[in-house]
Amino acid sequence: MENIRNFCIIAHIDHGKSTLADRLLEYTNTISKRDMQAQVLDDMDLEKERGITIKSHAIQMDYELNGKKYVFNLIDTPGHVDFSYEVSRSIAACEGALLIVDAAQGIQAQTISNLYLALDNDLEIIPILNKIDLPSAEPEMVKDQIVDLLGCKREEIMAASGKTGAGVHDILAAIAERIPAPKGDPQAPLQALIFDSVYNSFRGIIAYFKIVNGTLKKGERVKFVNTGAEYNADEIGVLRLKQEPRNSVSTGDVGYIISGIKDAREVKVGDTITKVSQPCDSGIQGFEDVKPMVFAGIYPVETEDFEELRYSMEKLQLNDASLTWEPESSAALGFGFRCGFLGMLHMEIIQERLEREFNMTVITTVPNVSYFAFTTKGDKLIVNNPSDLPDPSTLDRVEEPYIKAQVITKSEFVGSIMGLCIGKRGIIVNQNYLTTDRVELIFEMPLGEIVFDFYDRLKTISKGYASFDYSPLDYRASALVKMDILLNAEPVDALSSLIHRDNAYDFGKKMCEKLKELIPRQQFEIPIQAAIGAKIIARETIKAMRKDVTAKCYGGDISRKRKLLEKQKEGKKRMRSVGNVEIPQSAFMAVLKLND
């Protein structure tokens, strides 16, 4: 145990975590030169394509310093705000963290929030200045920022470059010297914390754990404390580049267990594993329950694929514990699931993973957030879907969730960012200069306003220099109305939304215009209307495709032509009363791109 070091890498998105992890693996000879590739721990195609880390990845390395052998367990974490739940789980399995700051960009919003997560768990922080080889790097200025934030000494900050490998040997030595060994008693009853799990179609569910107390041997009977289920430890081992089986794992080790579990619901991330023969008194305090921020419906394109989709969602939830879902049905789309996500990127990634990993083609409805509706009788209802909103005559008020948003940006963009936030009903709470040209802005704003396109627009107006992070605050009463979209006088429940009364007219008009572009023309005229209750607030019309019935009438009396056109018009009218409109998937996602 003396020689084990468990640590994770935390940073803002794109500050070079995965590249530095590559160098650590290379310099400890964990990976041979032949197997080396960029971002070696990011094993999903999606991660490689987008250049972002979506899942935390655990790997074990061996290191020798002054003749003493060490075992390093590294967990590489994502940097995007939507995957902060992955970060919180990784931190729970570690004693130390490498805090990486880009020497060109300095400290950003996600750096600060991930740092606070690590400090809450009493982790030893090693600050590292990365990308010092960049021509635009300002190491001295960024060191000042780190000293202000952490209160550490300047000489404790390590300079490195993940690309060239400069300073990596110093980092390895610092991990051995500065990060404490895990505490715990190998003789005590077994307590192992599950921090992740994956599904393998041949072996069933593989759970990843960190042993806090006790020792686990192969073949022993184990029990999952929260679910109460018992299994045999068929195979246990440690996480190298591939899983390496061992006969026993002890306190401080990070490893995996295969026990032939087939049902995804039986493994809960944050659960504790103990032995049946010598059980522990209580489970380890796991992670807090995840609070989804954005809700959307996911429906199979073919209704008979519903069970297949449920099966796929259960598998995906194993690998991504922050996904929550429950069955729901829609008049327009049939049976599907109401899913909770941590943000828009999370939702996009889940949809892509369903299509790639499980071959499921799905329709995603307009994302929204969760509201509380209070009736005149004093009942409190949770509204996850606009169709759940009670009748306006019985409605007293609607409360919506507010968040505390933290934006860090260069001072030249402050005006335009304030304009964007105030346009989204934000209230500025604090403005604070971190350095002469870097400003931290704190806003309180409704979560519903940032769900759609806020992050993209923030990046656009700040030329990519603003960083954004948020945390939930409370619920506040607001003048919200339900806006329906009618196609051919039929409401489409998947396109209805709850929106602030002041923004409803503009939103409805834009929505109708966008749908007019996206819905293909039919043989009959289609009116697209936005309505609040019985009041129509915007309308566009998709003209009918007309066959040229007068082509055979050349010359002759106009009344012959008119007669043919009138006959066609009657047919179109009859068609419209029975015709239904096919809505493409792009129309459901149109709402997200209304400002393009």
Short mmCIF file of all heavy atoms in Angstrom, two decimals, residues 299 329-335 363 491-495 583 588:
data_model
loop_
_atom_site.label_atom_id
_atom_site.label_comp_id
_atom_site.label_asym_id
_atom_site.label_seq_id
_atom_site.Cartn_x
_atom_site.Cartn_y
_atom_site.Cartn_z
N TYR A 299 -37.54 8.60 -29.23
CA TYR A 299 -38.51 7.64 -29.75
C TYR A 299 -37.90 6.83 -30.88
O TYR A 299 -37.13 7.37 -31.68
CB TYR A 299 -39.74 8.38 -30.31
CG TYR A 299 -40.53 9.09 -29.25
CD1 TYR A 299 -40.18 10.37 -28.83
CD2 TYR A 299 -41.63 8.47 -28.66
CE1 TYR A 299 -40.90 11.02 -27.84
CE2 TYR A 299 -42.36 9.11 -27.68
CZ TYR A 299 -41.99 10.38 -27.26
OH TYR A 299 -42.71 11.00 -26.28
N SER A 329 -45.38 8.16 -23.66
CA SER A 329 -45.94 8.00 -25.01
C SER A 329 -46.37 9.35 -25.54
O SER A 329 -46.66 10.27 -24.78
CB SER A 329 -47.12 7.03 -24.97
OG SER A 329 -48.13 7.59 -24.17
N SER A 330 -46.39 9.45 -26.86
CA SER A 330 -46.75 10.72 -27.50
C SER A 330 -47.76 10.41 -28.60
O SER A 330 -47.66 9.37 -29.27
CB SER A 330 -45.48 11.34 -28.10
OG SER A 330 -45.75 11.98 -29.31
N ALA A 331 -48.72 11.31 -28.78
CA ALA A 331 -49.74 11.09 -29.80
C ALA A 331 -49.12 11.05 -31.19
O ALA A 331 -49.54 10.30 -32.06
CB ALA A 331 -50.78 12.20 -29.72
N ALA A 332 -48.06 11.86 -31.39
CA ALA A 332 -47.46 11.95 -32.73
C ALA A 332 -46.45 10.85 -32.98
O ALA A 332 -46.28 10.40 -34.10
CB ALA A 332 -46.81 13.32 -32.90
N LEU A 333 -45.74 10.41 -31.91
CA LEU A 333 -44.58 9.54 -32.14
C LEU A 333 -44.71 8.14 -31.54
O LEU A 333 -43.80 7.33 -31.67
CB LEU A 333 -43.32 10.21 -31.57
CG LEU A 333 -42.98 11.58 -32.15
CD1 LEU A 333 -41.90 12.25 -31.32
CD2 LEU A 333 -42.52 11.47 -33.58
N GLY A 334 -45.82 7.86 -30.85
CA GLY A 334 -45.99 6.53 -30.26
C GLY A 334 -45.24 6.37 -28.95
O GLY A 334 -45.12 7.32 -28.17
N PHE A 335 -44.73 5.16 -28.68
CA PHE A 335 -44.05 4.89 -27.40
C PHE A 335 -42.56 5.23 -27.49
O PHE A 335 -41.92 4.96 -28.49
CB PHE A 335 -44.20 3.41 -27.02
CG PHE A 335 -45.60 3.06 -26.62
CD1 PHE A 335 -46.42 2.36 -27.49
CD2 PHE A 335 -46.09 3.45 -25.39
CE1 PHE A 335 -47.73 2.06 -27.13
CE2 PHE A 335 -47.39 3.15 -25.02
CZ PHE A 335 -48.21 2.45 -25.89
N ILE A 363 -35.73 9.32 -33.00
CA ILE A 363 -36.17 10.71 -33.16
C ILE A 363 -36.08 11.37 -31.79
O ILE A 363 -36.56 10.81 -30.79
CB ILE A 363 -37.63 10.76 -33.66
CG1 ILE A 363 -37.71 10.25 -35.10
CG2 ILE A 363 -38.20 12.16 -33.56
CD1 ILE A 363 -39.12 10.17 -35.64
N PRO A 491 -52.47 19.77 -33.54
CA PRO A 491 -51.30 20.08 -32.71
C PRO A 491 -50.28 18.92 -32.74
O PRO A 491 -50.66 17.76 -32.70
CB PRO A 491 -51.87 20.25 -31.30
CG PRO A 491 -53.21 19.60 -31.34
CD PRO A 491 -53.69 19.58 -32.76
N VAL A 492 -49.00 19.26 -32.85
CA VAL A 492 -47.94 18.24 -32.80
C VAL A 492 -47.31 18.33 -31.42
O VAL A 492 -46.56 19.26 -31.12
CB VAL A 492 -46.87 18.52 -33.89
CG1 VAL A 492 -45.79 17.44 -33.86
CG2 VAL A 492 -47.50 18.61 -35.26
N ASP A 493 -47.65 17.36 -30.54
CA ASP A 493 -47.21 17.48 -29.14
C ASP A 493 -45.69 17.48 -28.99
O ASP A 493 -45.14 18.04 -28.06
CB ASP A 493 -47.86 16.42 -28.24
CG ASP A 493 -47.51 15.00 -28.66
OD1 ASP A 493 -46.94 14.84 -29.75
OD2 ASP A 493 -47.82 14.06 -27.90
N ALA A 494 -44.98 16.85 -29.94
CA ALA A 494 -43.52 16.79 -29.81
C ALA A 494 -42.86 18.14 -30.08
O ALA A 494 -41.70 18.35 -29.77
CB ALA A 494 -42.96 15.75 -30.76
N LEU A 495 -43.62 19.09 -30.66
CA LEU A 495 -43.02 20.40 -30.96
C LEU A 495 -43.51 21.49 -30.01
O LEU A 495 -43.09 22.64 -30.12
CB LEU A 495 -43.35 20.83 -32.41
CG LEU A 495 -42.60 20.08 -33.51
CD1 LEU A 495 -43.14 20.45 -34.87
CD2 LEU A 495 -41.11 20.35 -33.46
N ILE A 583 -43.36 14.47 -40.85
CA ILE A 583 -42.42 15.48 -40.32
C ILE A 583 -41.02 14.88 -40.28
O ILE A 583 -40.81 13.86 -39.62
CB ILE A 583 -42.83 15.92 -38.90
CG1 ILE A 583 -44.29 16.34 -38.87
CG2 ILE A 583 -41.95 17.06 -38.43
CD1 ILE A 583 -44.83 16.57 -37.50
N PHE A 588 -37.73 18.44 -35.95
CA PHE A 588 -37.76 18.39 -34.48
C PHE A 588 -36.54 19.10 -33.89
O PHE A 588 -36.60 19.67 -32.82
CB PHE A 588 -37.79 16.94 -34.00
CG PHE A 588 -39.08 16.25 -34.31
CD1 PHE A 588 -39.15 15.25 -35.26
CD2 PHE A 588 -40.25 16.59 -33.65
CE1 PHE A 588 -40.34 14.61 -35.55
CE2 PHE A 588 -41.45 15.97 -33.92
CZ PHE A 588 -41.49 14.98 -34.88
#
